[in-house]
Amino acid sequence: MRTTEKCLLAHFYISVLFVVGFCQGKDFFSDNALQLPESYKIAWMEAIDDHKFISDITIPGTHDTMARHGGPEAECQAWDLEDQLNAGIRYLDLHLFALKGHLYVMHGIVYEHKSFNEVLKTIKDFLLEFKSETVLISVKSALFGKATVLELVGKIINDDKDVWVKPDMPTMGKARGKVIFVQAPSFKLGVPLLETDNQGDYKVHHIAAKEKKIATHLSEASGQCGKDAVVLSSSSGTGFGTLIGMFLTPKKVAKEINPWLDKHLRQLSDNHKCFGVIAMDFPGFDLIQTIIKLNLHFPIPSKLKF
């Protein structure tokens, strides 16, 4: 698609987002079933220029994408994978465990009731319907058996033309319709990944301190975005395992952090910066749209006047 057509599409898309976002109640945090507005355009990446590198796009993602089971201390998401993709999520965080030749999705010791094959099929079905999109996935080994996980993943995706495992950063044009693997410390298939979070940053003692950490990480991400690696920042956190924040479950943290994150990103939108991947717990529809709008180079107003 030509640049002029992309610009027209971006103008149209941002108009749709404004109508959707400001004619309904705000939804920055969600632990309910997804309800998409009738006017919502699922294929938001259609407006991204073909020549733009994946590392130069601001992408909404989920932390521990499949963590919907295991109780308050373990649950990080309310929506299933299909709903996350439909809502605009394009980065997935997967933890796999190998057992008897099969790969299962885990969150710590909690089985998340899905196999890797089932997850991959859901992603591919989505990309088959929405060919303008791409989905980034980060795979990590849960518990133990890293070598076995890597071996089994390699067998599943072997010679699959719709899966990108090369270290070369693809442009949006090359990535459309494909699953893009993103490297993790224990998993070296795919494009390089640069994480802004430091070890232990997920531990939350006070919400205000967590907000400061996220702001610092996003500032770092904006300086690294567009280079040779996909930059990842996470807004997720839990007080589990700490004394002061022991009652701050991932859901309680997200309920406080997500509205703040939306406001913070809107304040930064005037600078037209890229922030890479922003991985979240319990993201609401409007927060996801705020992140998507950052790619369209329009200031995002905190209020819309009629």
Side-chain angles (χ1 to χ4, degrees):
M1 188 179 292
R2 293 176 303 198
T3 302
T4 302
E5 293 172 330
K6 289 284 184 184
C7 290
L8 290 172
L9 182 59
H11 276 279
F12 169 76
Y13 186 72
I14 199 71
S15 298
V16 171
L17 288 178
F18 279 157
V19 171
V20 169
F22 287 99
C23 292
Q24 300 186 11
K26 289 299 181 182
D27 182 19
F28 307 127
F29 161 88
S30 181
D31 60 353
N32 296 316
L34 176 66
Q35 292 184 337
L36 289 177
E38 291 183 5
S39 58
Y40 177 59
K41 185 177 176 63
I42 291 176
W44 66 266
M45 285 183 149
E46 187 178 6
I48 305 296
D49 191 280
D50 281 339
H51 301 292
K52 180 167 283 194
F53 285 97
I54 294 300
S55 58
D56 201 24
I57 302 172
T58 302
I59 298 175
T62 45
H63 155 259
D64 266 308
T65 298
M66 305 300 292
R68 301 177 61 234
H69 306 276
E73 298 297 346
E75 294 167 8
C76 298
Q77 307 300 331
W79 302 334
D80 64 21
L81 179 54
E82 184 176 0
D83 280 347
Q84 290 185 36
L85 294 171
N86 286 337
I89 294 296
R90 296 292 180 269
Y91 168 87
L92 312 177
D93 174 30
L94 303 175
H95 297 254
L96 304 180
F97 178 66
L99 180 65
K100 296 182 179 180
H102 297 281
L103 290 171
Y104 300 96
V105 183
M106 308 287 291
H107 181 200
I109 62 172
V110 179
Y111 171 50
E112 295 300 336
H113 301 261
K114 290 289 181 181
S115 69
F116 179 62
N117 281 346
E118 290 173 313
V119 169
L120 202 57
K121 182 180 186 305
T122 298
I123 300 170
K124 286 189 169 187
D125 287 347
F126 174 82
L127 292 173
L128 190 62
E129 182 176 0
F130 301 102
K131 295 179 173 60
S132 64
E133 308 304 285
T134 187
V135 176
L136 282 62
I137 65 172
S138 171
V139 170
K140 302 180 185 72
S141 174
L143 304 176
F144 49 85
K146 295 178 182 179
T148 305
V149 170
L150 181 60
E151 179 186 358
L152 290 175
V153 170
K155 288 181 179 179
I156 292 171
I157 64 176
N158 184 41
D159 295 328
D160 191 329
K161 63 181 180 61
D162 295 322
V163 177
W164 185 283
V165 294
K166 295 182 289 185
D168 305 325
M169 190 65 61
T171 60
M172 189 67 235
K174 291 182 178 180
R176 296 192 193 279
K178 291 184 172 60
V179 180
I180 309 295
F181 270 75
V182 179
Q183 293 182 15
S186 62
F187 196 88
K188 297 301 181 182
L189 283 180
V191 299
L193 177 70
L194 174 63
E195 296 189 57
T196 61
D197 285 35
N198 299 312
Q199 187 174 8
D201 279 351
Y202 70 91
K203 295 181 180 179
V204 180
H205 301 274
H206 301 285
I207 294 296
K210 179 64 176 178
E211 292 172 355
K212 290 180 180 179
K213 286 182 180 180
I214 296 171
T216 299
H217 295 329
L218 289 175
S219 178
E220 181 183 343
S222 69
Q224 296 293 333
C225 210
K227 298 183 179 180
D228 296 331
V230 170
V231 184
L232 170 66
S233 301
S234 177
S235 67
S236 62
T238 178
F240 185 66
T242 70
L243 181 61
I244 298 175
M246 66 173 66
F247 299 111
L248 289 172
T249 64
K251 182 182 291 188
K252 288 181 178 179
V253 171
K255 196 168 186 177
E256 297 292 331
I257 287 293
N258 289 6
W260 170 86
L261 177 60
D262 186 89
K263 181 180 179 180
H264 184 68
L265 290 172
R266 287 172 182 271
Q267 292 171 343
L268 298 175
S269 67
D270 286 339
N271 297 322
H272 300 168
K273 293 181 178 179
C274 165
F275 297 100
V277 174
I278 304 175
M280 303 164 285
D281 285 348
F282 296 99
F285 177 79
D286 291 301
L287 174 55
I288 294 170
Q289 302 317 302
T290 292
I291 295 172
I292 291 172
K293 293 173 195 175
L294 293 171
N295 295 291
L296 304 179
H297 301 304
F298 291 90
I300 305 171
S302 56
K303 294 183 180 178
L304 189 66
K305 297 179 179 179
F306 292 95

